[in-house]
Amino acid sequence: MKGTKGHAQGPIDNDVVIHVALVAESQRLQVFLNTYGIQTQTPQQVEPIQIWPQKELVKAYRFLAINKKLGLSGRPERPVGCIGTCKIYRILGKTVVCYPIVFDLSDFYLSQDVMLLIDDIKNALQFIKQCWKMQGRPLFLVLIREDNIKGSRFNPVLDMLASFKKGSIGGVKVHVDRLQTLISGAVVEQLDFLRVNEAEIPEFKSFEELELPKHSKVKRQTSTPNASDLEQQPEINVDEWLQKPTNEIIQKFHVSRSGGGDFESKYCFIGTPLCDMREYGTHLGVCQECACVFSPTRSVVRLAASLLTKLVDSLAPSITSVLVHGKQVTLGLFGQEEEVISNPLSPGVIQGIIYSKCSPQGGEREAVLQQELVIHIGWIISNTPELFSGMLKIRVGWIVQAMKHELKIRAGDMPPQDIYQLSPSDIKQLLLDVLQPQHTGRSWLNRRQIDGSLNRTPLGFHDRVWQILERTPNGFTVAGTYLPQQPTLSDMTMYEMNFSLLVEDTLKKIVLPEYRQIIVELLMVVSIVLERNPELEFSDKVDLDDLVKQAFNDFQRDRSRLEGIEKQDGMEAFYNTPPMGKRGTSSYLTKAVMILLLQGDVKPCKDDPCSVS
């Protein structure tokens, strides 16, 4: 039978049914959703149960295991994950349920991308299904806000809610019911440790007591809800406002805010020059609402967020996720100086690094784009670590370059999409596409551009570089960087991380991704040649750049002789040649390596068949 202990049919399927409570933030929203057959509850209707954001639970857990005599300071103020928010809590006589962190409000524009929110919800449900091991049913609170259903966001959210109602979303079984009904089957956690420190207990705020954002028009206690206010608004004529002067846009912005319109959430600062944006810096925060509502403003949203030096939530934990997988993170623009992060850092320090390495070099929009990518990378490496195989350093600026290459490939002869105009959810999908190994339907030039930008290396690459150094007494150089045999081999071992990082540092000055990949291929060729010819070693310092040059010149001579192609077409044809096969890049690289090796001494061997006694 399936699931029988000891039965060799592979892993047991965790057939968890997740209990879901749909909570609308206002009565007006509840009435509106009801017209579409979606039954919800408001926070008032679940009383005396209180609904808290997870950050209030973090405040409570601060008092866990505090002991001044032992020097124990309690739980650090880190977010409570979605497994923790799937329980019922008894806190100081109150019954509390918490909504997951994905529903937290943020002034960073990622929270405005409803497709990203839906993706995060599906990922959270998948995680709960895989990791839930407790006796009771997990309880997942879905908090629906009025902002979630405005404009083009409405249909995707409605489709998601319909999936909940049908009982399955993203392959996860769910059961939707009233919160009071679901509580009976949930896990209850008693936070008794709070009683010990009653004098220091902070004031906890339920969802109802949280301050609403200044731009919010939600009326939580509305006695006569007007659902028509939530109908999709007609789009404003963009062309009309593109030509308007900045002061007129600002004036419209103020009128809109005082009159209850939503002009500022869609069209504020369209076409506004950068200098004017800085002048009206106090208004820039409103641009965060623009994301994913109207695509031509996304680039402006990113610029506004950068000018305000915004920092995305959970950035520090995402970087820590990368580090615990044995990798490093570098932040900074492609082709510019980067900052290496090898230890967990506080959010403030990370913020300083990003804005110091990106913004001064004209990368204002990339300062926030790299934050998006760090969040996505942290999630991907935790769930699909194999996508980062062969990548010791996660160089975020170079990953942006890989994504730009991908957009050029997709565009063909047409102008490529501007990466800064993509929605955050599209950025995440583009990142996933780039990380997937590409084996078909792509030229070798494109493959090398992508893999070189990702700094991806073959299996065992760093070990092979060690073996090369053993047979290269004077070391080798590449792009002006020298890697000596000694004291490298005496100070390090083949398998230690420091040696692998040293190899990466040796290659980091290569600025052309496809050339970096050719150098990686060359080192693999050198390793194989030395492995098959144990009597050979390099007598002088090896210049890898010169070896590639010799291989390329040989390649060009053959093309000129056999195909009548002149030499003026440069290196691109070489980069676009497959490594294996007749006249592949590996054959030319091997020839260059053998010529250099044979210029040195050949070690004598006692069983040499060529020797005559």
Side-chain angles (χ1 to χ4, degrees):
M1 289 179 62
K2 185 178 180 181
T4 303
K5 188 176 181 180
H7 200 275
Q9 280 193 343
I12 298 173
D13 184 25
N14 191 357
D15 196 26
V16 172
V17 177
I18 300 176
H19 285 178
V20 175
L22 302 180
V23 177
E25 73 168 334
S26 67
Q27 190 178 0
R28 179 173 71 164
L29 177 59
Q30 180 187 41
V31 172
F32 176 72
L33 291 174
N34 192 42
T35 62
Y36 290 89
I38 304 298
Q39 306 294 323
T40 62
Q41 292 176 281
T42 64
Q44 296 88 10
Q45 291 169 345
V46 303
E47 292 176 353
I49 303 168
Q50 290 194 5
I51 296 175
W52 287 11
Q54 62 83 34
K55 62 183 180 181
E56 296 297 302
L57 195 56
V58 171
K59 285 162 58 175
Y61 268 116
R62 258 183 25 217
F63 295 90
L64 177 64
I66 288 180
N67 190 310
K68 293 180 181 179
K69 290 182 179 179
L70 295 177
L72 301 177
S73 58
R75 182 185 184 273
E77 291 191 41
R78 297 190 182 117
V80 174
C82 53
I83 295 292
T85 56
C86 282
K87 306 174 188 176
I88 305 292
Y89 289 89
R90 291 287 298 168
I91 302 176
L92 301 176
K94 301 173 183 176
T95 302
V96 174
V97 293
C98 297
Y99 53 84
I101 194 171
V102 299
F103 298 105
D104 278 359
L105 278 178
S106 168
D107 63 353
F108 200 84
Y109 57 82
L110 288 184
S111 64
Q112 298 294 320
D113 187 338
V114 77
M115 298 308 296
L116 202 59
L117 173 63
I118 292 171
D119 195 33
D120 287 343
I121 291 170
K122 291 179 179 179
N123 292 334
L125 291 170
Q126 284 284 355
F127 181 80
I128 295 166
K129 175 186 175 183
Q130 294 167 8
C131 300
W132 186 261
K133 306 296 180 187
M134 301 179 208
Q135 290 298 316
R137 296 288 189 184
L139 175 61
F140 191 82
L141 211 65
V142 176
L143 180 61
I144 312 161
R145 301 182 187 274
E146 292 191 4
D147 275 350
N148 296 150
I149 63 167
K150 285 184 178 178
S152 60
R153 307 173 192 178
F154 174 69
N155 286 330
V157 170
L158 189 63
D159 289 343
M160 177 191 70
L161 295 175
S163 296
F164 275 116
K165 187 177 177 182
K166 291 176 183 176
S168 177
I169 179 166
V172 178
K173 294 179 182 178
V174 295
H175 171 69
V176 178
D177 210 328
R178 297 173 69 251
L179 186 55
Q180 291 88 337
T181 304
L182 299 177
I183 276 186
S184 60
V187 174
V188 179
E189 192 87 26
Q190 300 274 356
L191 300 193
D192 296 327
F193 54 82
L194 284 170
R195 295 285 183 191
V196 181
N197 299 280
E198 288 189 10
E200 304 176 25
I201 291 173
E203 179 184 353
F204 296 111
K205 293 185 177 180
S206 68
F207 175 76
E208 283 297 280
E209 297 166 321
L210 292 176
E211 289 185 12
L212 288 167
K214 294 179 181 178
H215 62 268
S216 176
K217 303 173 186 66
V218 175
K219 297 177 181 178
R220 289 175 176 163
Q221 303 289 345
T222 302
S223 56
T224 55
N226 184 2
S228 64
D229 292 344
L230 293 174
E231 295 291 350
Q232 297 185 48
Q233 299 296 322
E235 298 290 345
I236 297 170
N237 188 328
V238 181
D239 294 332
E240 173 189 349
W241 285 96
L242 280 172
Q243 310 303 323
K244 300 283 187 180
T246 300
N247 61 345
E248 195 169 332
I249 295 175
I250 296 295
Q251 184 179 6
K252 173 66 175 176
F253 160 76
H254 285 302
V255 170
S256 173
R257 288 178 70 79
S258 61
D262 68 344
F263 174 86
E264 80 281 2
S265 68
K266 296 182 182 180
Y267 302 104
C268 185
F269 302 115
I270 289 179
T272 306
L274 176 59
C275 58
D276 288 346
M277 290 185 71
R278 294 184 188 277
E279 180 182 347
Y280 290 99
T282 56
H283 305 289
L284 288 174
V286 180
C287 286
Q288 304 306 299
E289 302 172 56
C290 304
C292 310
V293 177
F294 181 63
S295 59
T297 65
R298 289 183 187 124
S299 181
V300 177
V301 173
R302 289 188 170 97
L303 180 56
S306 179
L307 293 175
L308 291 165
T309 62
K310 292 290 185 181
L311 191 72
V312 68
D313 296 332
S314 302
L315 194 63
S318 295
I319 286 181
T320 302
S321 296
V322 177
L323 298 178
V324 298
H325 280 81
K327 302 183 187 293
Q328 292 186 342
V329 180
T330 70
L331 299 172
L333 296 178
F334 172 77
Q336 304 289 333
E337 184 183 359
E338 301 166 283
E339 182 83 16
V340 179
I341 301 177
S342 55
N343 295 297
L345 299 175
S346 67
V349 173
I350 298 170
Q351 183 181 36
I353 291 172
I354 286 179
Y355 283 103
S356 66
K357 292 300 178 184
C358 293
S359 296
Q361 284 79 29
E364 284 90 355
R365 293 175 300 174
E366 192 157 322
V368 290
L369 178 63
Q370 290 200 15
Q371 294 184 50
E372 290 181 52
L373 291 176
V374 167
I375 294 294
H376 300 327
I377 289 168
W379 178 83
I380 295 169
I381 203 168
S382 297
N383 293 273
T384 323
E386 62 271 17
L387 291 182
F388 292 91
S389 62
M391 297 168 62
L392 184 60
K393 280 188 178 179
I394 310 298
R395 301 173 75 181
V396 181
W398 281 64
I399 289 177
V400 172
Q401 185 69 11
M403 295 166 71
K404 289 178 178 178
H405 274 310
E406 179 66 22
L407 291 175
K408 287 180 182 178
I409 294 165
R410 293 180 181 181
D413 296 331
M414 301 295 290
Q417 283 182 286
D418 180 1
I419 193 170
Y420 303 109
Q421 293 282 31
L422 298 178
S423 70
S425 52
D426 287 339
I427 287 289
K428 182 178 182 180
Q429 187 58 54
L430 179 60
L431 172 63
L432 283 166
D433 293 342
V434 163
L435 291 174
Q436 297 284 352
Q438 303 291 336
H439 299 296
T440 58
R442 172 165 286 178
S443 72
W444 278 100
L445 171 61
N446 291 336
R447 288 197 203 184
R448 288 184 171 115
Q449 286 175 333
I450 297 292
D451 286 338
S453 296
L454 294 175
N455 286 226
R456 184 171 273 156
T457 57
L459 183 66
F461 171 74
H462 300 101
D463 300 344
R464 287 186 174 273
V465 175
W466 175 276
Q467 293 164 347
I468 292 171
L469 277 182
E470 288 183 311
R471 308 272 290 280
T472 314
N474 294 298
F476 63 81
T477 63
V478 59
T481 303
Y482 176 49
L483 182 61
Q485 184 192 67
Q486 295 298 343
T488 305
L489 299 188
S490 58
D491 288 352
M492 302 178 184
T493 62
M494 179 190 293
Y495 304 109
E496 71 175 82
M497 177 66 76
N498 284 339
F499 176 72
S500 298
L501 292 173
L502 179 61
V503 174
E504 292 296 318
D505 284 342
T506 304
L507 302 178
K508 75 177 182 180
K509 287 191 177 179
I510 302 173
V511 294
L512 199 62
E514 52 267 42
Y515 184 73
R516 184 190 192 278
Q517 208 58 20
I518 286 289
I519 291 292
V520 168
E521 293 172 24
L522 170 61
L523 287 167
M524 295 296 289
V525 166
V526 172
S527 170
I528 293 169
V529 169
L530 291 175
E531 186 178 61
R532 293 176 181 176
N533 299 273
E535 74 283 1
L536 299 177
E537 72 173 24
F538 294 103
S539 56
D540 297 321
K541 180 165 59 177
V542 178
D543 187 333
L544 298 183
D545 298 309
D546 189 61
L547 284 175
V548 173
K549 183 179 178 181
Q550 297 302 323
F552 172 66
N553 289 339
D554 203 18
F555 169 80
Q556 285 287 63
R557 280 193 295 270
D558 278 358
R559 292 188 77 215
S560 179
R561 177 173 57 85
L562 299 173
E563 303 174 21
I565 297 175
E566 295 298 325
K567 297 182 180 181
Q568 286 87 340
D569 61 348
M571 288 283 290
E572 187 169 304
F574 189 65
Y575 296 139
N576 206 26
T577 301
M580 306 309 293
K582 188 177 180 181
R583 294 171 60 202
T585 54
S586 291
S587 63
Y588 291 103
L589 293 171
T590 302
K591 182 178 178 181
V593 171
M594 287 301 302
I595 290 173
L596 184 60
L597 277 169
L598 293 173
Q599 290 174 356
D601 295 330
V602 178
K603 293 179 180 178
C605 178
K606 64 179 181 179
D607 298 323
D608 191 344
C610 295
S611 63
V612 180
S613 56

